[in-house]
């Protein structure tokens, strides 16, 4: 009997080591890993460069409090500032912490302007922003909030893709609209560029802050460093997490000057956030990701992967309903039973993970090779063939 609290439907499979795109299981089998800790290990397992960076840092200094200056943190913040809309960055340890901080920052901004009643956050119904009390109520999901009442107040919801519903849900109390640029857990649903542009305009007109949750789709996953870049807009607040540490837990919130102006010493904090060891991982990830041509390659591989997956869809339209996503954030929408399909892929040594709307998520490392993509395509084809 496991002593682990029963909150996951875990597969029986366990791993003893990983290298790049592959995982080696305790059962002796070798698996192609297109989960990568759910878009976390953006540079694959046991990346030599990341290993070295963490090892070198671990010999010098792991952790100091944020009451001191942390040069490694200053460095990572500066680099994120240079490559994004952000003027300031706050560091944490996970995605939910980052989205929750984003909510705090938005409210604090209007508070600082004397608009203390402008404090509600408008989110997509059945979205995902993490598992803290506030973020589950931000999701508007019945399933995620069941048994966890009393409700955390201050969230309103609109239907994905329903512009009328969005406009109707806005009141003069709306402080921020928070959506994922590409919905991950929600089923790899890409928000079209024209919607993001419209949203930016709407927010400007109504004095509302735009929070784009890029915890999953950010840090190169979409083929751009940040997924909002495709639309050309600038958000006000962006929580990030999954990819930034390459497997080391890091969360962060990127904010513009306007939002930053409301935050003063004592208004927010984190014990672990931004410690030197974590920051060495984040800086090493950016060393590799900011190399010339890296993101271009991600886009190219993403195009190729999607194009080939669409061929498989054409051959098996009764199994695959749709292929969608951006960069290497890809979802296969199935007609039925995604769980069986995922298990069949595992039997054929390809690891994938589910998302809502019967989606199988394909999340290879961003430095995956074409050969490895081809291997995945072959396995997916083979599994489809068995369903004939
Ligand atoms: C994973 C995820 C989170 C939560 O991150 P945790 O590190 O699990 O707390 C929040 N928002 C989005 C979009 C995510 O994909």
């Amino acid at each position: 009997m496991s002593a682990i609290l029963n909150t996951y439907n875990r597969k029986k499979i366990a791993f003893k080591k990983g290298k790049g795109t592959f995982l080696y299981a305790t059962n002796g089998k070798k698996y192609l890993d297109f989960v990568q800790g759910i878009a976390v290990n953006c540079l694959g397992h046991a990346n030599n460069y990341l290993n070295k960076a963490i090892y070198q840092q671990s010999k010098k200094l792991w952790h100091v409090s944020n009451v001191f200056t942390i040069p490694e943190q200053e460095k990572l913040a500066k680099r994120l500032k240079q490559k994004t809309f952000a003027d300031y960055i706050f560091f944490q340890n996970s995605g939910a912490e980052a989205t929750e901080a984003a909510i705090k920052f938005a409210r604090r901004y209007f508070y600082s302007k004397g608009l203390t009643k402008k404090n509600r956050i408008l989110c997509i119904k059945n979205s995902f922003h993490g598992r803290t009390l506030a973020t589950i109520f931000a999701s508007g999901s019945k399933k995620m909030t069941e048994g966890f009442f009393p409700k955390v107040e201050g969230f309103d919801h609109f239907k994905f893709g329903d512009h009328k519903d969005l406009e109707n849900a806005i009141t003069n109390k709306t402080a921020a609209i928070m959506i994922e640029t590409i919905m991950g857990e929600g089923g790899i649903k890409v928000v079209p560029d024209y919607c993001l542009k419209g949203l930016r305009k709407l927010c400007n007109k109504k004095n509302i802050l735009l929070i784009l949750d890029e915890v999953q789709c950010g840090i190169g996953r979409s083929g751009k460093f940040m997924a909002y870049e495709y639309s050309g807009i600038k958000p006000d607040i962006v929580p990030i997490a999954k990819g930034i540490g390459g497997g080391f837990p890091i969360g962060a919130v990127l904010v513009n000057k306007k939002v930053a102006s409301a935050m003063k010493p004592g208004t927010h904090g984190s014990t672990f956030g931004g410690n030197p060891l974590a920051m060495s991982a984040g800086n090493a990830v950016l060393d590799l990701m900011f190399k010339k041509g890296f993101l271009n390659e991600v886009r190219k591989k993403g195009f190729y992967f999607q194009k080939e997956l669409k061929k498989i869809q054409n051959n098996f339209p009764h199994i695959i309903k749709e292929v969608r996503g951006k960069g290497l954030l890809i979802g296969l929408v199935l007609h039925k039973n995604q769980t069986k399909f995922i298990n069949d892929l595992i039997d054929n040594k390809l690891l994938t993970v589910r998302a809502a709307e019967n989606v199988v998520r394909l999340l290879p490392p961003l430095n995956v090779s074409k050969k490895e993509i081809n291997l995945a395509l072959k396995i997916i084809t083979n599994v489809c063939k068995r369903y004939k």
Side-chain angles (χ1 to χ4, degrees), residues 99-232:
T99 53
E100 183 144 339
I103 295 163
K104 284 181 74 177
F105 297 169
R107 287 187 178 152
R108 178 84 192 179
Y109 170 73
F110 289 107
Y111 170 87
S112 79
K113 297 283 169 205
L115 298 168
T116 51
K117 296 222 165 93
K118 201 170 165 72
N119 56 23
R120 300 190 69 83
I121 314 293
L122 181 53
C123 306
I124 290 172
K125 181 93 191 141
N126 292 322
S127 55
F128 186 83
H129 299 289
R131 296 287 199 157
T132 63
L133 278 170
T135 56
I136 57 173
F137 284 98
S139 77
S141 150
K142 199 166 168 229
K143 198 172 141 207
M144 266 201 286
T145 53
E146 190 183 348
F148 299 120
F149 280 66
K151 184 175 176 177
V152 174
E153 279 298 338
F155 299 98
D156 299 306
H157 298 95
F158 69 98
K159 283 197 221 82
F160 177 88
D162 190 334
H163 295 216
K164 268 273 146 318
D165 199 37
L166 163 64
E167 287 190 25
N168 289 339
I170 293 174
T171 69
N172 54 11
K173 289 185 180 168
T174 307
I177 296 174
M178 176 163 77
I179 63 163
E180 281 179 84
T181 318
I182 303 169
M183 290 176 81
E185 305 301 312
I188 315 294
K189 296 208 287 205
V190 180
V191 178
D193 289 343
Y194 76 89
C195 287
L196 288 171
K197 284 184 185 138
L199 203 55
R200 179 68 274 180
K201 271 200 197 125
L202 187 66
C203 286
N204 289 349
K205 196 172 108 194
K206 307 224 160 183
N207 191 23
I208 291 170
L209 295 171
L210 179 57
I211 305 174
L212 293 179
D213 181 349
E214 296 227 4
V215 167
Q216 188 157 160
C217 62
I219 317 298
R221 182 52 58 184
S222 73
K224 296 267 190 193
F225 184 54
M226 302 301 286
Y228 68 76
E229 288 173 36
Y230 283 102
S231 70

Side-chain angles (χ1 to χ4, degrees), residues 46-66:
N47 181 284
N48 282 336
Y49 186 79
L50 298 196
N51 280 352
K52 217 161 150 189
I54 290 185
Y55 178 60
Q56 294 300 340
Q57 184 60 46
S58 74
K59 290 192 291 185
K60 289 190 283 187
L61 186 64
W62 285 29
H63 176 83
V64 289
S65 166
N66 279 306

